[in-house]
Amino acid sequence: MAEITDITPQVKDKERCNIYVDGRFYCGLKLETAVRHRLKAGQHIELSALDEIQLENEQSQALDKAMTHLTHSIKTEKEMRDFLKKKGYVDAVADAVLEKLKEYGLVDDDEYCRQYAASAGKSKGARLIAYELRRRGAAEDSIGRALSDLTGEEEAASAALKKYMRGREFTKENLSKAYRHLMSKGFDYETAKAALSSLGADEEE
């Protein structure tokens, strides 16, 4: 059994408080919820009971916060889970909220990856897109499906190369830098070489 070691008001929301268990932050709660359940420092409690208290009373508020967060831009499931955790919600609340968001079609890693790849694919290669999607916590199978639908990578590489070479002379040094630039943008060897050839150049790495 764990011990509630402190209960402190939140700085940005005076109607909420932070619950510390065994000396470490555990979750956030409405002040009225903490009072109604008579939670206090020094109290021993099962963590599962504390999770139930938050789940019962805060699921709707957590859902509202999540939906507001999504109005700015779509997010991956991991990004939303991290957001809820940062707000002080326990896993049980995050699980319930994410299930609702999936039901509403507001969190969908497949759709997120598809939209991201379609947009980023205008100037980036598949390798960089995959890396960026992994950083955002997208599921590997969702990334794979999005990349399999990706088209126009050769055109994107050519456009990126033309933009890079604008105002630069076609010297061996500049072409070598251009090649490295394309590789840094996530284009593979063959695509980068084809782009250089399309400009009448052919630079080895």
Side-chain angles (χ1 to χ4, degrees), residues 93-106:
V93 174
D95 289 343
V97 169
L98 284 167
E99 281 304 311
K100 283 293 183 183
L101 293 175
K102 290 177 184 178
E103 287 178 20
Y104 299 154
L106 297 176

Side-chain angles (χ1 to χ4, degrees), residues 7 13 20 40 54 59 70 97 107 110 144 147 169 183:
I7 300 177
D13 190 345
Y20 291 83
K40 59 185 179 181
Q54 193 186 58
Q59 185 175 329
L70 282 166
V97 169
V107 170
D110 275 4
L147 293 181
E169 295 182 3
M183 296 296 285

Side-chain angles (χ1 to χ4, degrees), residues 137-179:
E140 283 294 329
D141 55 350
S142 296
I143 294 173
R145 283 190 286 270
L147 293 181
S148 68
D149 293 336
L150 192 62
T151 59
E153 193 169 19
E154 294 79 7
E155 291 83 354
S158 294
L161 176 62
K162 289 177 182 177
K163 182 178 180 180
Y164 180 83
M165 290 300 296
R166 194 174 298 144
R168 291 183 170 90
E169 295 182 3
F170 274 58
T171 64
K172 182 178 179 66
E173 180 182 3
N174 283 340
L175 290 173
S176 181
K177 289 180 179 179
Y179 174 80

Side-chain angles (χ1 to χ4, degrees), residues 28-182:
L29 282 177
K30 294 179 183 177
L31 276 172
E32 62 175 308
T33 300
V35 172
R36 184 167 65 253
H37 287 272
R38 299 179 180 178
L39 301 180
K40 59 185 179 181
Q43 177 181 350
H44 289 83
I45 188 171
E46 293 287 352
L47 293 181
S48 58
L50 199 53
D51 290 353
E52 283 298 319
I53 290 173
Q54 193 186 58
L55 178 62
E56 177 186 350
N57 293 275
E58 309 231 308
Q59 185 175 329
S60 62
Q61 185 183 52
L63 181 60
D64 288 342
K65 286 182 181 293
M67 293 180 71
T68 298
H69 188 55
L70 282 166
T71 59
H72 303 295
S73 63
I74 62 174
K75 306 287 191 302
T76 64
E77 180 176 344
K78 183 180 184 301
E79 286 176 325
M80 288 308 302
R81 186 176 293 279
D82 289 345
F83 168 78
L84 291 168
K85 183 177 181 179
K86 186 177 180 180
K87 290 296 182 182
Y89 295 107
V90 297
D91 289 344
V93 174
D95 289 343
V97 169
L98 284 167
E99 281 304 311
K100 283 293 183 183
L101 293 175
K102 290 177 184 178
E103 287 178 20
Y104 299 154
L106 297 176
V107 170
D108 183 336
D109 274 13
D110 275 4
E111 181 62 16
Y112 180 97
C113 291
R114 188 192 67 76
Q115 288 189 26
Y116 188 91
S119 177
K122 297 174 183 177
S123 60
K124 300 176 182 178
R127 291 189 302 179
L128 182 56
I129 293 172
Y131 170 75
E132 291 176 340
L133 286 171
R134 289 188 186 102
R135 284 185 59 196
R136 288 164 171 77
E140 283 294 329
D141 55 350
S142 296
I143 294 173
R145 283 190 286 270
L147 293 181
S148 68
D149 293 336
L150 192 62
T151 59
E153 193 169 19
E154 294 79 7
E155 291 83 354
S158 294
L161 176 62
K162 289 177 182 177
K163 182 178 180 180
Y164 180 83
M165 290 300 296
R166 194 174 298 144
R168 291 183 170 90
E169 295 182 3
F170 274 58
T171 64
K172 182 178 179 66
E173 180 182 3
N174 283 340
L175 290 173
S176 181
K177 289 180 179 179
Y179 174 80
R180 292 195 295 271
H181 174 71
L182 290 177

